[in-house]
Structures are given as structure tokens and as C-alpha cells.
Amino acid sequence: MDVMVELRAVTKRFGSFHAVSEVDLQIKAGEFITLLGPSGCGKTTLLRMISGFETPTSGAVLLDGKDVTHEPPYRRDVNQVFQSYALFPHMTVQENISFGLRMKKVPKQELAERVRAAVAMVSLGGMEERKPSQLSGGQRQRVALARAIVCRPKVLLLDEPLSALDAKLRHAMQVELKQLQKKLGITFVFVTHDQEEALTMSDRIAVINKGRIEQLGDASQIYHRPKTTFVASFIGQANILRATVLSRSGERARVRLDGDIELLVNAEHLAGGAESALISIRPEKIALRKERHGDLENCFEAHVEDELFKGATDQLRLRTDSGLALTAVVANESSVQAALHAGDRVFCHLHPDDIVIVHEE
Amino acid sequence: MRLRTMSGIKLSNLLLCGWSGLVLIYLYLPILLLVVYSFNDSRMSVVWEGFTFKWYGQLFDELVAHLGDERRSPLIESLSNSVIIAAITTAFSVVLGTAGAFLLYRYRFPALRSITALIFIPMIIPEIIMGISLLIFFKTVELELGFTTVIISHVTFCFPFVLIAVQARLAGLDPSLEEAALDLGATPLKAFFLIMVPYLLPAIISGALMSFTLSMDELIVTYFTRGPKSETLPIKVFGMAKVGLNPMLNTISTVFIVATAMLVVFAESLKGTARRLPDES
Ligand SMILES: Nc1ncnc2c1ncn2[C@@H]1O[C@H](COP(=O)(O)OP(=O)(O)OP(=O)(O)O)[C@@H](O)[C@H]1O
Ligand SMILES: [Mg+2]
């Protein structure tokens, strides 16, 4: 598959502060990639080096095979949807959307045609003559989107485009954006700090922490096979526990937690020769039963310390006899007998593949 | 109970209205008198002798005669000098003020902060000091006093008003706006003229009107920096008033007041628009 955007050891320093450090990233043509990370981790800076508003301190940015590291933004075939939308206040919707085409001196006929198509694509028909101040937040967002896609860029950069919308509209726009991206086949680089948004929309996710890519992979890899404690706890919830490595055979390793609990775990990320390691367990992967079930492998006893009602699920705090604390999430049982309560003794069952070795950040 | 509070409110309203009325009278009574006397049918202006338009007629005749090259009218000539000086001053002030505000916005070095403070000093420094120092300066560089020196002097205290107005508008600017233009393929120059100038226009116009009126009004600095051929209207009026109160003085002052008031009101209304952010949610 073609590589559309390539970052080669890109570093950006502001003074002595490293906003982005040694980032290598290849983005495929037509891909929907998300840069996910906490506030201040360098997502916007990374995006701005692709759009050309920041020049890397070192490293190179390649666009469709061409080195554009030192090209100004107006000579790059990428467009951006700004977080604030940045619509031109003195221009109508129509004028806003056609701005890019006018700058590129697209012939009148074609310009009108393409603007009409873009307006239709984002369902803004009938609003062409309005000023941005006469639009709702969601409509402004669509204008910003139309203004960018009408230029048919090779890459569309979106910096938290949905963060100003309310939850309901945001979910609707997530679906719409994803469909639009599939239809247009444009490469999308999407920035967000919302892990749920990243998981639902992206082909691949780059999890960024302190200016570095911690992990790159599809939603399932990121969620089920986090490589670091940061990824495990930033995306979803995770129980991170310290363990001693006892033995290793191929895909599996045997580890011991405090209090003599022995577990068989997925050894994919285990460094060779490591004697101790951190393991990550997703709370919803802990199967709780009132009786011991199946073989004795990966099963240990605990009691429920307290429970937290969360609507569809119950969040339970568990403590093993040796004092280890764990969080588990179970489907909310309506029948009184099945429900677990504080003080109940339970057996925790875990599949080896649901226990992942993670590295400290 | 309720009645009492209502009457309480009414009483305070009444007092407030009365007070505001007094302040307004204090502010505008002298001006009102001047306007009234411009319609007074008397050579000795402080005694009311009946209503007349004749001074306005005379002023109009002088204007026609002057423009038609029949008879040189010093009064009209000074008026036209004032307008020319104010227009050129405004043009320079707009360019300097807008460019200055933009540069201060774009490059934020700590040193620039003190420079900003320096720019505003001509606005507050006593005019007489400005006048004397400019005169000394022009003498030192051996610049002949005349239109040029008056305009240079006016620009020094007019362009800060443009700069302040533009700066206030820039403070509310979304920095992505210009980037969006660049992102869509506009060169920095195009982005400036297609996006920034329209955005700043209300502030630029308001600043321009301010500097035009300020320049038209200016007396003291002009007094020091004028040459024999660059007599402005305020200087002329000042000279005429020294000789005696001439009804023509009231007339031309009234015209002047009306024009200035209209410009100021217009400038203020634009400032209101300028301060409001265009479409921030
Ligand atoms: N022009 C600049 N000068 C100095 N520091 C900067 C500049 N731009 C960004 N930074 C710093 O670089 C770091 C990364 O900033 P960036 O805007 O990329 O974060 P982000 O991941 O987009 O965060 P957010 O989710 O809050 O938007 C921040 O600590 C920020 O303070
Ligand atoms: Mg950001």
C-alpha cells in the first residue's frame, strides 16, 4: 500500500522543551489514523508539522513521497479542519467554501460545481448565503469540513474537530465523518484526546505520550494488547500489577503475583530474560463466579469490598486474601440472587490472553 | 410595602434623571448658546436681535467666491488647509497604525512592550510641550515650516489612535483565521488583504475617523509647527476671536461642531462593532 505521509525521526523543540521527540510514522493512503493522547502531549504540534505551520527542529516530513519539510502551508496538498473552525466571519458559507478553490484559480464553472457538491455532501443546502455568525455550532463544523474537502487534498488533518459539540451531535458526526472518509477515500489524520472517539473511528491509532508514539496499532490491538502501562490505563481501565516471572514457554509465561497467586499470561510483550514484569488486566475480563469453575488454572479467590452502580455495569472493588486490590466490571444483574454485594466471596477466572505484559512508561 | 419600594425606586430615578440633566446642561449649554447665536441678527453677538440665516448665507457666498476664484477668502482657505492636512494625516496614520499594531501582534518580544508604551506618549503629553519639542526638532533638522511639518506633527499623535483601535480588534482575533487562509492556499500577502484587512476594517475606519477629527481640531501643536501658508481653521478662528467676537465665527464653529459630532458618533458606533467578536460561539 502507498505511503501518503511519512514522518522520519521528527523532533520539535520549543526552547529546551521537547514537544515532539523522534517520531517515526508512516500513514497509508486512504487511511483513517488517529493521534490520541492527553492534553499537552504534542498532538497539535505533530499535526502542524504535517500542515506546515511548524517546522521540525530535526527530521523530515514526506508527503506522497516528496520531502515537504520546508514547504510553506500554502504549497502543501493538505487541508486542515481547525478546532475553532476558523471560518472567515465576513464571508458567507458559499464564499468560505469556495475560498480554497479561488486561491487555486479553479475555473468558474468547475468551482461552482464543486462547491455545490461539497455543500450537498455536508447537507448545508439552503444556507449558502448565511454568515458564520448565523449558524449553529454543528453547522459551522460542517462548513469547516466542506471548506477543506472541496479542495480535494491528499490528506485532511482534523484537530479535535468535534470537541466543541455536545455529546449527541458528536456521536452523530463521528459516524458521518467516518462515512465521508470512506466515500472520499482521502487520508484522514484525526487528533483527539477522547479514547472512545479514537476506538470507534480509526483504522489505526497512534497513542502519544510526552511527545512520543507509545503504541501504534488498530483499535483492538491498542485495547487488548497495550504495550505500556500508559496505553493500558489511558485507554479504558486497567489493573496494573507487579509480578515475578517464573517460566516462559512460547506464547505463554507463568508469573507469580504477591500472595502466591500464580497466573498463566500472554507473553507477547515480555522481554527475554526479564525476572519481574508488570501485567495489565482489563476489569471486564475478570469473570466472577460464586463457585470455582473449570480447571484450577488462572483462578483465585477474593472478596467484594464495595460496589459501584454504573447503569449497564457494576464496578466492583475486589481484595484477595493476600491483600491485592483489583477492579472488576460485571454486567448489571437484575436478579437479586445473581448480583454480587459487598462482603461476598468470589472466584476470579482469567483467560491467559487477557493478561498482558506491559512496560513501564 | 410594595408601594413604598416602588416610590423609592421612582424617587431615585427622578434624582438620577435630574442629575444627568444638570450634567448635560453643563456640558452642552455653552455649545448650544454658540449655535443659537449663529442665527442672531446682530453684529455685536451677545445681544439677541432676531433670527437670521444671513451669516450662513455669507459663509456660503465666501465659499462660492473662493472656489470660483473670484475673491480669496482666508477663512475658507484655512478650512481647505485643515481638510487637506487632516486627510493626509489620516492616510499616514492608518498605514502606520495598522502596520504597527500588526507587527506588535505578530512579534511579541518583551522589548516591544516598552515600545508600545512609548507610542502612546504623544497621546497624553501636554500639547504645548509636543509643539515646542517638534518646533525645536524641525529647526534642528532645518525643515522649513509648512504643510509637511504640520502633517508630520499631526501624525505623531494621530496614528496611536489607529494603532489602539486595531490592536483592540486583534486581541479578539482567532489566530487560526489567518492560518486557515494559508492552509487553503493563500499566500501570506493574500491572507493579509483578503482576511485580515476585512476583519480589521471596522477598527481601521474608526481609527481613521478619530485621527481625522483630531487633526481638524488641533490648535496648539499646529500653532508651533505651521508655516505662513499652512494656516488651519482652528488657528484662523483663534486669530479672529482675538480681534473680537464675529458672528461668522459662530457660524463656522457651528458647521464645524456638527461635522465633528457626526464623525465622532460614526466612529464610536463602528468601535462598538469592532469590539464585538464576529462569530465566536
Ligand atoms: N509555540 C509554542 N511555544 C512553546 N511551547 C509550545 C508551543 N506550542 C506548543 N507548545 C508546548 O508543546 C506541548 C505540546 O503542545 P500541543 O499543542 O501539541 O499539545 P496537544 O497534544 O495538542 O494538547 P491539547 O490536547 O491540549 O490540544 C505543550 O506542552 C505546549 O505547551
Ligand atoms: Mg491540541
Side-chain angles (χ1 to χ4, degrees):
Chain A
M1 194 156 221
D2 294 347
V3 174
M4 183 53 85
V5 181
E6 186 173 354
L7 303 178
R8 285 189 190 154
V10 164
T11 296
K12 179 70 189 180
R13 278 200 310 265
F14 294 110
S16 62
F17 176 77
H18 282 70
V20 172
S21 314
E22 296 282 322
V23 165
D24 285 297
L25 180 63
Q26 294 196 334
I27 300 171
K28 294 173 221 144
E31 184 177 29
F32 193 126
I33 193 164
T34 298
L35 308 179
L36 174 66
S39 185
C41 71
K43 307 179 294 284
T44 300
T45 308
L46 204 53
L47 204 68
R48 287 168 65 81
M49 288 192 282
I50 303 176
S51 57
F53 292 114
E54 304 281 2
T55 314
T57 312
S58 65
V61 179
L62 280 79
L63 194 65
D64 205 8
K66 204 176 115 228
D67 189 332
V68 295
T69 315
H70 298 286
E71 291 278 313
Y74 48 92
R75 273 196 237 118
R76 297 189 187 196
D77 213 353
V78 298
N79 284 109
Q80 190 171 341
V81 176
F82 292 84
Q83 182 167 2
S84 63
Y85 309 149
L87 300 181
F88 306 132
H90 59 289
M91 295 186 189
T92 61
V93 168
Q94 170 98 19
E95 288 164 341
N96 262 285
I97 296 177
S98 59
F99 187 84
L101 299 181
R102 275 184 281 145
M103 290 304 109
K104 293 194 177 70
K105 305 221 161 55
V106 170
K108 246 192 182 140
Q109 189 86 36
E110 189 193 337
L111 182 142
E113 198 49 54
R114 278 168 69 173
V115 169
R116 197 160 33 241
V119 166
M121 193 168 296
V122 296
S123 334
L124 277 174
M127 313 221 171
E128 291 92 335
E129 294 312 316
R130 291 209 198 164
K131 290 278 176 67
S133 56
Q134 298 165 303
L135 298 175
S136 73
Q139 289 164 341
R140 284 179 211 175
Q141 212 276 329
R142 285 154 194 272
V143 177
L145 195 61
R147 186 175 69 175
I149 57 174
V150 78
C151 300
R152 295 184 192 148
K154 285 180 176 151
V155 183
L156 188 67
L157 309 172
L158 304 103
D159 193 356
E160 311 204 18
L162 307 180
S163 61
L165 305 180
D166 65 61
K168 202 161 177 186
L169 197 53
R170 192 160 66 231
H171 286 126
M173 281 307 294
Q174 285 173 5
V175 177
E176 250 181 79
L177 261 182
K178 181 73 198 170
Q179 283 171 347
L180 194 68
Q181 190 263 341
K182 271 195 190 138
K183 193 156 98 188
L184 295 170
I186 297 177
T187 311
F188 272 39
V189 184
F190 187 92
V191 164
T192 183
H193 59 252
D194 182 337
Q195 40 119 352
E196 195 192 314
E197 201 164 273
L199 292 174
T200 46
M201 296 176 79
S202 333
D203 295 329
R204 283 198 303 165
I205 300 171
V207 184
I208 301 177
N209 185 30
K210 295 182 185 153
R212 291 176 193 279
I213 295 185
E214 292 246 341
Q215 190 169 358
L216 179 67
D218 64 30
S220 162
Q221 283 169 340
I222 297 283
Y223 188 79
H224 295 299
R225 300 271 171 273
K227 273 186 188 159
T228 65
T229 52
F230 173 80
V231 176
S233 45
F234 186 71
I235 290 126
Q237 278 180 291
N239 293 293
I240 310 277
L241 303 167
R242 186 157 285 286
T244 315
V245 181
L246 300 176
S247 64
R248 177 179 188 161
S249 60
E251 297 269 281
R252 295 276 182 266
R254 180 169 292 279
V255 303
R256 184 167 58 221
L257 305 183
D258 293 348
D260 282 340
I261 296 169
E262 281 191 19
L263 293 172
L264 209 54
V265 305
N266 182 312
E268 194 183 329
H269 299 148
L270 183 62
E275 290 184 350
S276 88
L278 290 173
I279 60 167
S280 159
I281 302 168
R282 296 279 180 208
E284 74 278 11
K285 302 292 185 191
I286 305 176
L288 298 178
R289 295 244 162 68
K290 288 188 173 171
E291 284 91 38
R292 196 177 278 272
H293 184 80
D295 59 11
L296 299 183
E297 208 58 90
N298 281 10
C299 176
F300 55 90
E301 231 181 315
H303 68 271
V304 179
E305 270 199 336
D306 58 27
E307 53 179 329
L308 214 64
F309 179 73
K310 290 232 164 166
T313 57
D314 266 343
Q315 185 176 315
L316 305 172
R317 249 212 343 239
L318 308 174
R319 195 168 288 278
T320 65
D321 296 342
S322 54
L324 221 56
L326 281 172
T327 302
V329 169
V330 294
N332 197 330
E333 294 284 352
S334 51
S335 87
V336 183
Q337 300 105 299
L340 290 164
H341 297 294
D344 287 356
R345 288 198 73 76
V346 290
F347 289 92
C348 310
H349 299 77
L350 282 160
H351 190 277
D353 275 335
D354 292 332
I355 312 175
V356 213
I357 304 280
V358 289
H359 299 284
E360 233 156 330
E361 45 178 296
Chain B
M1 217 19 222
R2 208 182 137 181
L3 256 174
R4 216 187 304 150
T5 43
M6 269 181 64
S7 63
I9 288 172
K10 269 194 186 140
L11 187 66
S12 68
N13 273 354
L14 218 63
L15 280 174
L16 194 66
C17 284
W19 177 248
S20 314
L22 280 177
V23 170
L24 283 178
I25 289 172
Y26 168 66
L27 283 177
Y28 285 103
L29 189 63
I31 297 177
L32 196 69
L33 274 177
L34 182 138
V35 174
V36 168
Y37 279 123
S38 74
F39 297 102
N40 188 7
D41 193 3
S42 155
R43 284 227 151 259
M44 296 310 299
S45 43
V46 282
V47 190
W48 181 260
E49 287 185 0
F51 185 86
T52 180
F53 271 122
K54 82 174 173 211
W55 307 120
Y56 287 92
Q58 225 174 69
L59 186 66
F60 187 72
D61 287 343
E62 277 209 33
L63 182 69
V64 172
H66 184 82
L67 291 181
D69 269 340
E70 289 167 34
R71 172 164 48 89
R72 210 180 129 265
S73 155
L75 194 64
I76 300 297
E77 191 168 273
S78 70
L79 176 66
S80 94
N81 283 348
S82 269
V83 172
I84 291 169
I85 287 168
I88 299 176
T89 298
T90 303
F92 277 107
S93 297
V94 161
V95 173
L96 266 178
T98 309
F102 203 70
L103 288 179
L104 287 173
Y105 168 78
R106 181 51 48 79
Y107 305 101
R108 283 173 230 197
F109 300 117
L112 279 180
R113 231 168 249 222
S114 11
I115 294 180
T116 319
L118 284 181
I119 286 171
F120 299 141
I121 284 178
M123 295 168 78
I124 48 167
I125 209 167
E127 289 172 336
I128 189 126
I129 295 176
M130 275 283 285
I132 293 172
S133 53
L134 280 164
L135 180 61
I136 294 171
F137 172 72
F138 293 139
K139 288 289 174 200
T140 313
V141 299
E142 289 176 3
L143 207 60
E144 199 189 330
L145 296 184
F147 271 99
T148 323
T149 51
V150 172
I151 289 168
I152 291 174
S153 316
H154 282 198
V155 168
T156 56
F157 62 83
C158 283
F159 94 88
F161 284 90
V162 181
L163 194 142
I164 283 184
V166 173
Q167 215 170 28
R169 182 115 174 116
L170 278 172
L173 172 73
D174 173 5
S176 318
L177 210 59
E178 198 186 2
E179 290 187 348
L182 297 176
D183 183 72
L184 291 164
T187 58
L189 202 67
K190 272 191 178 166
F192 182 78
F193 282 106
L194 293 177
I195 306 300
M196 297 311 285
V197 169
Y199 176 83
L200 297 176
L201 201 59
I204 293 174
I205 293 177
S206 133
L209 292 176
M210 275 308 281
S211 59
F212 191 86
T213 37
L214 278 173
S215 168
M216 284 291 286
D217 275 352
E218 218 296 319
L219 172 69
I220 299 169
V221 174
T222 319
Y223 185 83
F224 283 99
T225 55
R226 82 206 144 120
K229 289 203 167 147
S230 56
E231 198 104 304
T232 62
L233 184 66
I235 299 259
K236 186 77 208 160
V237 169
F238 186 62
M240 283 163 76
K242 273 195 292 196
V243 185
L245 290 176
N246 180 331
M248 278 293 277
L249 257 181
N250 293 341
T251 319
I252 193 140
S253 302
T254 304
V255 172
F256 202 75
I257 287 165
V258 171
T260 312
M262 270 163 38
L263 277 181
V264 168
V265 167
F266 190 46
E268 278 302 314
S269 75
L270 275 176
K271 232 194 233 159
T273 349
R275 256 191 237 111
R276 230 174 299 127
L277 290 185
D279 73 332
E280 255 38 69
S281 42

